[in-house]
Amino acid sequence: MGAVMAGARTRAQVVIVTNPRSGGGKTARHSLVRRAEDMGAQVWMTSAERDAASLARNAVEEGAQVLGVAGGDGTVSAVAAVAADEGRPLVVVPAGTRNHFARDLGLDLRDPGRALDALVDGEPAQVDLGVLGSRVFVNNVSFGMYADALLEPGYREDKPRAFATVAPDYLKGKQWVEARVDTPMGTVEFPQVVLVSNNPYHLATPRWLGRRFSLTTGELGAIVLKRPAQAPPDLLRHLHGELRQHKRGASLPDDGLVVWSAPGITLHGDVRHLDAGVDGEAVRLPLPVVCGIRPGALRVLLPKGRPRIPPEHSVRH
C-alpha cells in the first residue's frame, strides 16, 4: 500500500491505538488525538479494561485498513503483532519515553505528531520483528539486572532508584541469570546480563551507540555479560568502552563479554521461570526461552520528511 490519503477514506478505516500514560502523557502534550482526528483517523485509548492488542484486534474486526500506535515500545510491540498477523500497515507515533523502535525507523522524536504525516504521504517499508514464542518484540528482551529493576515498585517514576536497589548484588557477583546461553564462544552459565535485540545494536562509535542502522538484517543481536557488571545502568555505553579494540562476535580476553548476531538465541536452565523485560515490560517466562526473528514481517508507513538517523542508513523500501 502506498500513501494513505486521509480525505479519501472514512474514519473507521484508520485506527490509532494510544497509551495516554506513555511518556508522561505525551499524547496530550502534543495534541496527538486532535491532530490524528483532523487527518481522518480514529483514536482509541488503552485503559485497565482494554489493552493495546485487544483494541487493535477490534479495530481490524471493524474494518480498519491501517493501524497506528502512539506509545512506548511495549505498546508498539502489542499493536505491531496484530498488524503483522492481519497484514495491515502500521503507523508508529513516538509517544513513549525512549522510543527505541521509532528512533531506529528514523522518526522525529521531538515532534511525535510528524509521524502522522504518513497518513498522507506514507512510504511503505518492511521491517523485522523479534519473537519470543507467540510474543513479539520490537526492541529487546533483557535478563538479569535490567529485568529485575523493572519489577521494583515505582520503577517508571524513579528508574535510577530502581537500578540502585538491584545493582549491588550484581556488582558483587552475588546475583545472576539462572540460565545457560549457547554462544559462538561456547556455553555461558549463569551470566550477569543477557540482552537480545531485534536486529543488532551499533556499538562501535559513541555518537550512534545503541542505535540499529538496519531493521532488516533478519538476525537478532545478542550481548552476554559474564562477569559482574561494572557500570550499570548504562550497559551499552559500558560495552562501547569494552569493545573499541575488539571485533564483534568475539569474546574479550578475560571472556567477560560475548557479542554476536544470529537468527535464533535460546536460554536453558533448571528453574521453571525467568524474570525478563520485553520492550520495557516486566514478564515471567518459562524455560527454555527461545528468541527468534520474523524477517520483513511488519509493513510500516513512514513520513517522507523524517530525519533518518543516521542519514546514510534507512530501512528497506
Side-chain angles (χ1 to χ4, degrees), residues 90-275:
L90 184 69
V91 173
V92 178
V93 181
T97 301
R98 299 286 185 179
N99 303 298
H100 293 95
F101 186 61
R103 176 198 65 191
D104 295 336
L105 287 173
L107 298 177
D108 187 346
L109 304 189
R110 295 169 299 178
D111 182 3
R114 286 186 62 187
L116 294 169
D117 291 344
L119 297 176
V120 176
D121 64 355
E123 295 179 335
Q126 303 287 140
V127 297
D128 304 339
L129 289 176
V131 290
L132 189 62
S134 61
R135 187 179 186 124
V136 158
F137 61 96
V138 296
N139 184 32
N140 66 40
V141 182
S142 60
F143 303 89
M145 177 169 33
Y146 303 93
D148 288 355
L150 286 170
L151 296 170
E152 283 294 307
Y155 165 78
R156 298 198 181 280
E157 293 73 28
D158 191 351
K159 293 181 182 180
R161 181 205 57 77
F163 281 113
T165 300
V166 303
D169 283 347
Y170 282 94
L171 290 169
K172 296 172 184 176
K174 295 180 179 180
Q175 184 68 27
W176 50 81
V177 180
E178 293 278 355
R180 301 181 295 275
V181 188
D182 294 329
T183 82
M185 300 299 140
T187 299
V188 176
E189 296 195 7
F190 309 125
Q192 296 288 313
V193 174
V194 178
L195 187 67
V196 179
S197 57
N198 171 27
N199 283 261
Y201 291 127
H202 178 76
L203 300 173
T205 53
R207 184 181 182 189
W208 306 117
L209 192 66
R211 304 291 178 93
R212 288 168 294 178
F213 287 166
S214 175
L215 291 168
T216 61
T217 67
E219 291 197 326
L220 301 168
I223 299 170
V224 172
L225 187 61
K226 298 170 62 175
R227 64 168 180 255
Q230 298 298 312
D234 195 350
L235 173 65
L236 293 179
R237 193 160 299 280
H238 172 55
L239 292 182
H240 167 68
E242 299 270 23
L243 288 167
R244 280 181 301 181
Q245 298 179 357
H246 303 279
K247 295 180 180 179
R248 289 174 59 86
S251 60
L252 295 177
D254 60 0
D255 293 325
L257 177 72
V258 186
V259 179
W260 79 102
S261 59
I265 294 162
T266 302
L267 283 73
H268 307 272
D270 300 323
V271 296
R272 296 184 62 182
H273 297 88
L274 283 181
D275 290 326

